[in-house]
Amino acid sequence: MKPLVVANWKMHKTPADAVRFVHELLALRPDPEQADAVICPPFVALSAVGDALGDVPIGLGAQQMHWADSGAFTGQISPPMLVACRVRWVIIGHSECRAYSGETDASVNRKVGAALAHGLTPIIAVGETLEEHAAGAAHDRVVAQIRAAFAGYTPAEVARSVVAYEPIWAIGTGKVDTPPGADATMGAIRAAVDGLQSVRILYGGSVKPDNIAAFVRQQHIGGALVGGASLEPVSFAALIGNAGKGVAA
Ligand code: 13P
């Protein structure tokens, strides 16, 4: 399957910055044959990025959402609001949301159902801490997270999702998991839930243009969820091109 490269901009870029990025990226003519690409800007830049992308085959994603359609949830954004902004993808359960915004396995589970019900593709993020990694508990940790995320959903619903494995110790640190190490953890994730057998599982954590192909070359790795290296158009275009090289090799 074609790899998927998802840009998670986190809390970076105003709407004007985001539009400038899209124009510069499109001028570089990233090849849609190499990889599917999705950009997840901050909420306030979603509409501007959607307009700037127009009919270009690059997806628009959100970094987070609430599970309810509407209600007294100050500061939250609902699935129908995202759909109205032409969003088709949503990251759910990022470790930064789990650490700083009260995201739990239970809220992730509700949001997965809400995303699927509204035709959004959930990109469900799981990952272990450095302590868990050092203790040899990475597989148990991510398997527990992914089972909780999908509890109660049918294999057909699970199959409409994307999973991102992001070891927390590799995020923004310049430290990466080894491609075979990440692949083994993803194999455990894939085997943990019925329906995951054919979904794309992304690696995340200090992915750069010069290491993405080595990850995508692995059996279970279907692309990457990228933070820092997705913020510059030249770098993001190189990620898309090099992800395709990983598949061809
Ligand atoms: P970095 O690519 O900056 O390590 O961030 C990874 C990440 O958290 C993407 O969601």
Side-chain angles (χ1 to χ4, degrees), residues 34 47 80 135 142 155 167 194-195 203:
Q34 297 299 312
S47 288
V142 297
D194 265 0
Y203 172 75

Side-chain angles (χ1 to χ4, degrees), residues 8 10 94 96 166 170-173 204-207 225-229:
N8 175 12
K10 308 191 179 184
H94 193 281
E96 287 151 15
E166 300 201 310
I171 294 176
T173 59
S206 297
V207 173
L225 178 56
V226 189

Side-chain angles (χ1 to χ4, degrees), residues 187-207:
I189 290 171
R190 202 182 285 293
V193 179
D194 265 0
L196 281 183
Q197 285 61 42
S198 61
V199 306
R200 287 189 282 201
I201 305 181
L202 314 179
Y203 172 75
S206 297
V207 173

